[in-house]
């Protein structure tokens, strides 16, 4: 929901994370809470698979003049019938963390849910059914089995 430029967000993160670590060295800081790590919202529409925003974030916080700590990385994903997308996103997040040297940073999916229907009322009706429950359990099992997601927060 950021309304500024990508560079303004990166700067905000870097200044804030460095300030917090300076004042409270024992706290853990992280971000960046993207709706998806393998996609970019540009010119009013979602472009799937584009990673310039997240790569720009990591370029910024690893550059010597703007270096910033990252103890955990956060992102969201909402599943439709594409059950495997969550693990693909988790794998991408883990890979980018490792590639930029954040091998000890935890990988958090801070919002996930299924969208078994594009209709909001139907979607809410499916949640408490066996179909909804099996989807939730399968997703949790897949996250645990993959070893890629350190924490996951269900969002309703």
């Amino acid at each position: 929901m950021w309304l500024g430029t990508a560079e303004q967000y990166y700067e905000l993160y870097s200044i804030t994370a460095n300030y917090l670590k300076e004042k409270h060295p024992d706290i853990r800081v992280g971000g960046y809470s993207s709706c998806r790590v393998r996609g970019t919202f540009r010119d009013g529409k979602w472009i799937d698979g584009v990673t310039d925003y997240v790569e720009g974030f990591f370029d910024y916080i690893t550059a010597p003049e703007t270096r910033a700590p990252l103890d955990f990385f956060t992102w969201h994903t909402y599943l439709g019938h594409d059950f495997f997308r969550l693990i693909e996103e988790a794998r991408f997040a883990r890979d980018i963390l490792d590639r930029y040297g954040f091998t000890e940073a935890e990988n958090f999916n801070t919002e996930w849910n299924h969208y078994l229907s594009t209709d909001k009322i139907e979607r809410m009706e499916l949640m408490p059914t066996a179909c909804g429950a099996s989807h939730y359990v399968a997703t949790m099992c897949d996250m645990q089995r993959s070893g890629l997601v350190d924490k996951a927060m269900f969002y309703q």
Side-chain angles (χ1 to χ4, degrees), residues 28-141:
R28 295 167 26 96
V29 296
Y32 73 177
S33 290
S34 175
C35 291
R36 286 190 60 196
V37 290
R38 291 183 315 129
T40 296
F41 194 74
R42 189 183 304 144
D43 300 325
K45 60 184 168 189
W46 189 259
I47 303 169
D48 193 27
V50 176
T51 60
D52 55 352
Y53 199 97
V54 70
E55 301 228 16
F57 174 77
F58 280 99
D59 287 342
Y60 193 93
I61 68 168
T62 57
E65 63 278 4
T66 53
R67 184 168 304 281
L70 184 78
D71 298 313
F72 56 90
F73 182 64
T74 64
W75 50 279
H76 319 320
T77 194
Y78 289 88
L79 308 167
H81 293 288
D82 185 2
F83 179 76
F84 300 103
R85 190 173 81 212
L86 190 145
I87 299 305
E88 291 168 2
E89 295 273 322
R91 182 167 286 111
F92 176 83
R94 179 75 265 156
D95 289 347
I96 201 164
L97 284 164
D98 293 347
R99 183 163 30 107
Y100 280 90
F102 295 102
T103 56
E104 299 299 315
E106 291 182 291
N107 190 9
F108 297 165
N109 181 345
T110 51
E111 284 186 24
W112 75 273
N113 197 332
H114 78 67
Y115 280 177
L116 295 175
S117 171
T118 55
D119 179 77
K120 187 174 183 176
I121 293 172
E122 185 179 11
R123 187 169 60 233
M124 297 305 271
E125 290 172 349
L126 283 169
M127 289 175 129
T129 68
C131 179
S134 64
H135 192 84
Y136 296 134
V137 171
T139 302
M140 288 186 283
C141 289

Side-chain angles (χ1 to χ4, degrees), residues 2-15 52-53 55-57 59-61 66:
W2 179 253
L3 297 178
T5 67
E7 290 74 22
Q8 288 170 328
Y9 182 81
Y10 308 153
E11 181 182 19
L12 173 67
Y13 177 85
S14 181
I15 290 169
D52 55 352
Y53 199 97
E55 301 228 16
F57 174 77
D59 287 342
Y60 193 93
I61 68 168
T66 53

